[in-house]
Amino acid sequence: MQTKFIRTALAVAASLFGTAAAHAADVRVQCYSDGNECEVTGEIAKRFEAENAGTKIIIDKVPYKAVVEQLPVQLAAGQGPDIARVTDLGGLNKYYLDLTPHLPAARLKAWQDNFASTLPWFRAGPQDKGVYGLMSQLTVTGSFVNKTLFEQAKVAMPGPTATWDEWVAAAGKVAAATKTPFAMAMDRSGHRFAPLAVAYGAKIFDSAGVPVVDEGYQTAVRKFIDWNKNGVMPKEVWGGLGGSQYRDAFEEFANGRVVMYYSGSWQIKRMDTQVTKNFDWTVAPAPCGPGGCTAMPGGAAFVALKHTKVPNEAAKFLDFLARDENYRELMAKTENIPAHLGVAKAGVTYNVSPNAKAALNSFVADVGKIAKPNFDLQGYALNRAVFLPTAQRIGQAVAGELSADDAIKRLAADIDEQVKAAKK
């Protein structure tokens, strides 16, 4: 009898332990931050855990380089986190978990209504109706300008419809008068280059929807290479790295080495906390050209990955972040532009300095100016086939390894080759 009792007790214990284990779930979230996105996500995750006993959200903070270079390799091998914060929204589509079966009908409709403009960015094509990711920020590219240097140089800041050339000329006068090393810098990124290209007439796509290095794109490439060779821009940003590696120029601006810095709205938090104490800065309206005045949309998003062992929990956490009150908090605390239409319409109360608020308003004002080729490029599943070769080939020309003509020829060939290879 005693042996039978022990066996029964062990069986019950095992059953209880098994039940507890079945309900326990660790959801690993790979996250990179432009400012404090990972920390704020972690704060909201604590409330999710309180509502969902047995589920633990683990935030693994990584550098952006890991997301760009290491995560795709992990995913190709069937490994990686349950959720990741990514920027290659369409390019990684084949690894995404479709949230549709995991969302209640009412919540699915809320996603479809509130993220209607960005959900297509995650999809494989027009026939794909899946719901794959939550935009954790909507970004807009733009120019940060050192106001203090303009004031010291007694140079008037160009107006709202000023061209890229006019900005370069004005920043050049300021640099000369204040003995600042460089007039301008731009992040080493094909994404950041795209508004310059479209402003100078690039169509980005031909009539069949295939990316092309047309006359406008070539004009922008030559202009950009000349700016680097003529000392307008610091060569080390684009010419100091190999391949298509990303590099921002934040430190050059923060240290007062450039008058104007082309980056984007994700830098506001860093600007406000690290730069404001050193000098006054502002965000200028989108620079213009023959093709118009345009910025580039973008952003980062949390996506659940199909290899996850906890799909329901991963989807449930993303849906928790998408709730109006939680999403509004995420935007307010990270000082980002909402992609959630309902939250955007109701408004976000940012607890930021007047300078940061003015910068946010400037970026929001540029959203309506974004040219169709730039918006289409952001939503193009193979946009990295344009972005990466642009950074690589222009970088080689800036470093003196290629002529402008050769850089353009190789860039066009790279894009063509990568697009064809992706479609096989």
Side-chain angles (χ1 to χ4, degrees):
M1 288 292 295
Q2 187 175 7
T3 302
K4 184 177 180 181
F5 174 78
I6 291 172
R7 285 175 180 168
T8 302
L10 288 173
V12 171
S15 174
L16 290 172
F17 178 80
T19 302
H23 286 294
D26 286 348
V27 180
R28 301 204 76 96
V29 180
Q30 185 188 87
C31 179
Y32 85 91
S33 278
D34 293 306
N36 62 345
E37 288 85 357
C38 301
E39 290 76 11
V40 175
T41 302
E43 291 173 15
I44 297 173
K46 295 300 179 187
R47 295 203 300 274
F48 176 81
E49 291 172 347
E51 284 189 18
N52 297 272
T55 300
K56 176 74 174 174
I57 305 297
I58 303 169
I59 309 290
D60 296 318
K61 188 173 179 179
V62 299
Y64 180 60
K65 187 175 181 180
V67 177
V68 174
E69 298 179 7
Q70 296 170 22
L71 180 62
V73 176
Q74 288 180 296
L75 296 180
Q79 302 172 352
D82 302 296
I83 294 171
R85 186 168 186 252
V86 301
T87 55
D88 183 12
L89 305 183
L92 296 174
N93 168 272
K94 63 184 177 181
Y95 302 115
Y96 297 162
L97 174 73
D98 185 359
L99 305 181
T100 304
H102 304 280
L103 296 173
R107 289 302 304 157
L108 177 59
K109 186 176 188 306
W111 277 72
Q112 292 169 336
D113 290 345
N114 287 309
F115 296 99
S117 60
T118 56
L119 286 178
W121 288 356
F122 299 87
R123 294 169 178 159
Q127 304 307 313
D128 188 350
K129 303 301 180 185
V131 173
Y132 298 105
L134 175 74
M135 295 295 295
S136 59
Q137 63 178 172
L138 180 67
T139 62
V140 183
T141 58
S143 305
F144 293 92
V145 181
N146 188 321
K147 280 180 65 177
T148 298
L149 288 178
F150 265 90
E151 290 165 0
Q152 290 175 351
K154 294 184 171 63
V155 173
M157 205 171 289
T161 59
T163 65
W164 280 91
D165 288 325
E166 288 170 338
W167 269 108
V168 169
K173 288 180 182 177
V174 171
T178 58
K179 295 181 170 53
T180 301
F182 303 100
M184 184 174 69
M186 178 188 285
D187 293 337
R188 190 181 196 266
S189 162
H191 178 275
R192 240 64 88 232
F193 181 83
L196 173 67
V198 172
Y200 280 95
K203 302 301 181 188
I204 305 295
F205 299 99
D206 64 16
S207 59
V210 178
V212 289
V213 180
D214 58 14
E215 185 177 346
Y217 211 95
Q218 293 178 35
T219 297
V221 169
R222 294 182 193 282
K223 190 177 289 290
F224 191 82
I225 293 170
D226 285 344
W227 286 340
N228 277 272
K229 289 187 175 180
N230 295 338
V232 171
M233 308 179 84
K235 282 186 178 181
E236 63 266 24
V237 176
W238 279 67
L241 296 173
S244 57
Q245 291 184 70
Y246 171 81
R247 183 199 192 284
D248 74 20
F250 177 84
E251 294 301 329
E252 279 78 3
F253 185 74
N255 294 330
R257 297 185 66 231
V258 298
V259 177
M260 173 180 169
Y261 169 39
Y262 197 78
S263 188
S265 55
W266 57 92
Q267 299 283 21
I268 292 176
K269 184 80 173 178
R270 291 175 80 190
M271 290 287 171
D272 207 29
T273 56
Q274 299 180 44
V275 176
T276 302
K277 59 188 176 184
N278 298 326
F279 56 81
D280 291 333
W281 56 273
T282 190
V283 173
C288 305
C293 314
T294 183
M296 183 75 187
F302 286 113
V303 295
L305 299 158
K306 64 173 59 173
H307 66 248
T308 179
K309 301 288 196 301
V310 286
N312 289 325
E313 289 82 0
K316 198 170 185 179
F317 178 58
L318 291 185
D319 188 46
F320 187 81
L321 291 177
R323 288 186 194 173
D324 290 17
E325 66 276 16
N326 295 331
Y327 193 87
R328 184 176 293 109
E329 178 184 346
L330 182 63
M331 294 301 103
K333 289 185 175 179
T334 60
E335 299 172 23
N336 278 311
I337 300 168
H340 184 301
L341 299 179
V343 170
K345 185 176 181 179
V348 176
T349 302
Y350 296 102
N351 184 22
V352 296
S353 70
N355 213 31
K357 187 173 290 186
L360 279 164
N361 289 335
S362 183
F363 282 115
V364 170
D366 275 350
V367 171
K369 301 177 187 177
I370 297 171
K372 188 175 185 299
N374 289 123
F375 205 89
D376 290 347
L377 179 58
Q378 179 58 27
Y380 181 52
L382 304 178
N383 59 25
R384 287 170 71 82
V386 178
F387 294 150
L388 299 185
T390 295
Q392 179 179 3
R393 298 309 184 185
I394 292 179
Q396 288 178 307
V398 169
E401 298 171 9
L402 293 175
S403 67
D405 287 343
D406 285 341
I408 289 169
K409 288 177 184 176
R410 295 195 186 190
L411 170 57
D414 289 344
I415 293 174
D416 185 58
E417 181 181 328
Q418 290 189 29
V419 169
K420 286 179 179 177
K423 291 182 177 180
K424 287 182 179 178

